[in-house]
Amino acid sequence: MATKTNKLSWGRCEISLKKVGDTSGTAKKLPQIPVENSTKLTKVKGDTQEAKVEGGGIFASRVSKGSYDFATQFYVANTSTIKTWFGGVTEGQIPDDYEVTITPEDPEAPVVKLARVSMNLSLEYATEKGILLNVEGKVLEPETGEMVTVTGVAG
């Protein structure tokens, strides 16, 4: 019996974008690989609601669904084409929402898909890395389906 090898979605990744509602074809892969360890999907804990009782105890508690934040960075060099990535926007809010796909370098590893992301851009400079393009976004509720899906995962 063959042993199945674990495939993790770590290391180098590619990011693809597609405007939400665009039915014209496939997502557009960004032409650069992100800065090492900069691509992150972070769960933001929901608000806690408590039913308190006399004397300071808690009768019941619940936490709302919460949300997700997406972030990545790219190096900006003299050959960078960032002005073409988002219709000329290089800083500030991107006017459209995008489907974002994060694909690991191992084609057998799970892929992360974000159904609808509102993104903004900012530039940063440090002597250690030079000029960086920060891409940050909030994952929004899609009209249908899940905010975040992971494909290629068993059962």
Side-chain angles (χ1 to χ4, degrees), residues 41 67-68 112-116 139-140 142 145-150:
L41 177 65
S67 61
Y68 289 91
V112 176
K113 294 187 179 198
L114 312 175
R116 183 175 162 225
V139 181
L140 307 173
E146 297 293 321
M147 292 189 319
V148 178
T149 56
V150 178

Side-chain angles (χ1 to χ4, degrees), residues 69-152:
D69 289 338
F70 166 73
T72 193
Q73 292 180 315
F74 296 93
Y75 290 108
V76 178
N78 63 329
T79 57
S80 296
T81 59
I82 62 171
K83 289 184 179 180
T84 64
W85 295 0
F86 301 102
V89 177
T90 58
E91 196 155 17
Q93 183 68 36
I94 299 169
D96 299 301
D97 294 339
Y98 284 85
E99 296 174 16
V100 177
T101 303
I102 305 167
T103 306
E105 68 181 323
D106 185 336
E108 295 180 21
V111 173
V112 176
K113 294 187 179 198
L114 312 175
R116 183 175 162 225
V117 183
S118 173
M119 292 185 283
N120 64 76
L121 309 175
S122 64
L123 295 172
E124 174 183 326
Y125 175 79
T127 55
E128 181 182 29
K129 293 185 178 181
I131 302 171
L132 299 174
L133 175 68
N134 295 308
V135 180
E136 297 175 323
K138 182 65 82 175
V139 181
L140 307 173
E141 284 284 343
E143 286 187 27
T144 61
E146 297 293 321
M147 292 189 319
V148 178
T149 56
V150 178
T151 61

Side-chain angles (χ1 to χ4, degrees), residues 33-50:
I33 299 298
V35 172
E36 184 177 41
N37 297 324
S38 71
T39 305
K40 295 178 177 29
L41 177 65
T42 308
K43 177 70 174 184
V44 179
K45 184 179 174 184
D47 295 327
T48 301
Q49 188 176 23
E50 297 176 338

Side-chain angles (χ1 to χ4, degrees), residues 9-32:
S9 297
W10 55 10
R12 182 178 173 155
C13 69
E14 292 179 342
I15 297 175
S16 301
L17 305 172
K18 184 178 178 182
K19 284 184 186 179
V20 170
D22 179 4
T23 58
S24 65
T26 60
K28 178 178 78 173
K29 184 172 77 172
L30 293 181
Q32 280 181 234

